[in-house]
Amino acid sequence: MTDPITGPQHTRHDTALLRGIYLPRSMDAGGSAMTTYGIPLLVLATTNSTALTGLAFALEWIPRLAAFAVAGAMVDRYGAARIFRLASAARAVIVMAVALVLTGLGSSGPGTVITVMLLAASTGVLTEFSYIAAETTGGVASREAGEHAHRVQSVLLGIDQVATLAGPALAGLLLQWAGPTAMLLVVAAFSLLAGVLSLRQRAKESVSVSEPVLQGLRIGWSTLRSLPALVWLVTGLALSNLTSGLLQAAAPVIVVQQLGHSTADVGLIWSAAAVASLLAVAVCRRAIDRWGLWLVGALSATIAASACLAVSFTHTYRAYLVLIALLMAGEGGMTVVLRTLRSHLVPESVFGSTLGLTVLLLLVPFPVAGILVAAAPTALLGHVITGCAVLQALGLGLTFTRLRTLPGLSTRPA
């Protein structure tokens, strides 16, 4: 029998979550996914330069690393809702301004190059700020939901997954059929809607003074050093991220210039890869219960390394798409293993500091990958990918060989 009071209360609560949390998060996730995958495509379309495409990818990620710690401190000091609104509004203004500037400058010239590079750097910073603010707001909503917290988190995770699927494809299609201005205006519209909708947020945030960034990193480093299994797994995944980041940065050049396909086809690759990764995550969650962490992790590593080694030898778009999907599926499986191991081994009292450090270590390879693409001549890009793939295979092989003898991955989780 339905409680005549509780029922409407739950309905009002769900409606408030939809308006104040889910809709702003959806708009922000859509804009973030489009900028992450669309800006390297935009740079290639406007400059036709492999080096500048790789440099733009690096400029997207280097400021994110710098903003990672600052954004958290700003959210703690000023509140997630305020930072989310400011970051969304700033991104909308910057992207619209760039769209107008590119319309006036045309599709080439030094002014165009400088404009798109500044766009890459600024959106990288603002995306990190809005993401951390959105994660914090989601945490507040989860705590308010009490025993239904898992429902809130499942919806938020679903929003991010849908954005990862649709964002790259939408950016590629708009760039191909409507041009750079249209793509940027859609990104600006997503950002503007995120900022406007966030005005409805009623998050009851308690602003607290966080510990200094350097102190948190020191705590995380000392904890990580005391857990050899986690050290080896983070090292292996960092090497794997270098290769996957290299392929992500080089994808516009490989697909458009070498394989002769469109920007829309580049977006389709990463959407298909996201589907493969989601399927792998779903399968690995069950497989770990049955066969344990080590076997699932080793199998995922084998799939990822084999796909990367094969990429440099493929010369067709279809094979490239399949191999990238296999790579992301393998990395999805290893990510599940990492998160499971991290939750089992890291003490709760230092979990946040250790989490922050591991995320930072896993993100560092992405700007390095962009710099490699920028520095390598187009004719040698395949050799660079092969070299990184060999390094990845050796690193992952050594990692899981070592992990087999260490406590943590050798047994099934409870």
Side-chain angles (χ1 to χ4, degrees):
M1 182 175 179
T2 303
D3 189 334
I5 297 178
T6 304
Q9 285 179 339
H10 281 294
T11 301
R12 287 195 297 270
H13 180 68
D14 291 341
T15 302
L17 285 175
L18 176 64
R19 292 178 176 179
I21 305 295
Y22 299 152
L23 286 178
R25 178 67 168 261
S26 299
M27 298 299 103
D28 179 68
S32 298
M34 287 186 67
T35 55
T36 298
Y37 293 93
I39 287 181
L41 288 173
L42 173 64
V43 172
L44 183 64
T46 55
T47 67
N48 199 34
S49 169
T50 303
L52 292 177
T53 302
L55 183 58
F57 186 83
L59 286 176
E60 274 192 292
W61 283 100
I62 291 174
R64 289 189 183 192
L65 297 180
F68 180 76
V70 178
M74 294 288 285
V75 167
D76 286 340
R77 181 180 294 271
Y78 298 107
R82 181 183 298 178
I83 296 300
F84 184 85
R85 287 195 295 269
L86 291 175
S88 300
R91 186 170 63 187
V93 170
I94 289 174
V95 172
M96 284 190 291
V98 169
L100 294 176
V101 170
L102 290 181
T103 301
L105 292 176
S107 58
S108 61
T112 300
V113 174
I114 294 173
T115 300
V116 294
M117 289 302 173
L118 290 175
L119 175 66
S122 58
T123 54
V125 172
L126 294 172
T127 295
E128 192 65 32
F129 271 83
S130 64
Y131 172 76
I132 291 178
E135 283 289 292
T136 304
T137 305
V140 173
S142 297
R143 289 192 292 272
E144 291 181 347
E147 62 181 5
H148 300 297
H150 63 284
R151 297 182 183 179
V152 176
Q153 286 299 322
S154 64
V155 174
L156 294 176
L157 180 59
I159 289 171
D160 291 340
Q161 291 172 342
V162 171
T164 303
L165 291 175
L170 180 59
L173 286 170
L174 286 171
L175 191 58
Q176 179 185 358
W177 298 108
T181 300
M183 188 199 80
L184 292 174
L185 289 178
V186 171
V187 173
F190 275 123
S191 301
L192 187 61
L193 284 173
V196 171
L197 291 171
S198 69
L199 294 174
R200 298 176 177 269
Q201 289 178 340
R202 56 179 186 83
K204 302 173 182 177
E205 304 171 39
S206 57
V207 179
S208 59
V209 180
S210 60
E211 64 181 5
V213 174
L214 292 179
Q215 181 180 345
L217 292 177
R218 282 196 296 266
I219 293 173
W221 177 247
S222 62
T223 304
L224 188 62
R225 288 179 59 190
S226 67
L227 302 171
L230 192 57
V231 171
W232 277 99
L233 190 55
V234 169
T235 302
L237 274 173
L239 290 174
S240 187
N241 281 351
L242 176 62
T243 307
S244 62
L246 184 65
L247 290 172
Q248 184 177 329
V253 178
I254 294 173
V255 175
V256 176
Q257 291 188 346
Q258 296 182 3
L259 299 181
H261 282 254
S262 66
T263 56
D265 292 327
V266 180
L268 179 61
I269 284 178
W270 296 112
S271 295
V275 173
S277 180
L278 295 177
L279 291 175
V281 168
V283 170
C284 286
R285 285 174 180 171
R286 296 179 179 273
I288 288 171
D289 291 334
R290 184 168 184 178
W291 291 297
L293 287 170
W294 186 88
L295 185 60
V296 173
L299 180 60
S300 299
T302 302
I303 293 173
S306 300
C308 285
L309 287 171
V311 161
S312 57
F313 299 102
T314 186
H315 303 289
T316 65
Y317 174 79
R318 183 174 298 179
Y320 189 79
L321 185 150
V322 171
L323 291 173
I324 294 296
L326 286 174
L327 163 65
M328 298 308 292
E331 291 212 333
M334 287 190 290
T335 302
V336 174
V337 172
L338 171 66
R339 292 189 175 189
T340 305
L341 182 68
R342 190 168 55 197
S343 64
H344 288 168
L345 297 182
V346 180
E348 183 179 355
S349 60
V350 293
F351 188 84
S353 300
T354 309
L355 172 64
L357 179 64
T358 56
V359 171
L360 187 61
L361 293 174
L362 292 174
L363 291 182
V364 166
F366 286 98
V368 175
I371 294 172
L372 286 175
V373 172
T378 305
L380 298 178
L381 193 56
H383 297 292
V384 175
I385 293 174
T386 302
C388 287
V390 171
L391 180 63
Q392 176 199 29
L394 293 174
L396 289 175
L398 181 60
T399 293
F400 281 92
T401 299
R402 187 72 180 89
L403 286 173
R404 190 165 193 174
T405 62
L406 291 175
L409 268 75
S410 57
T411 59
R412 297 180 187 180

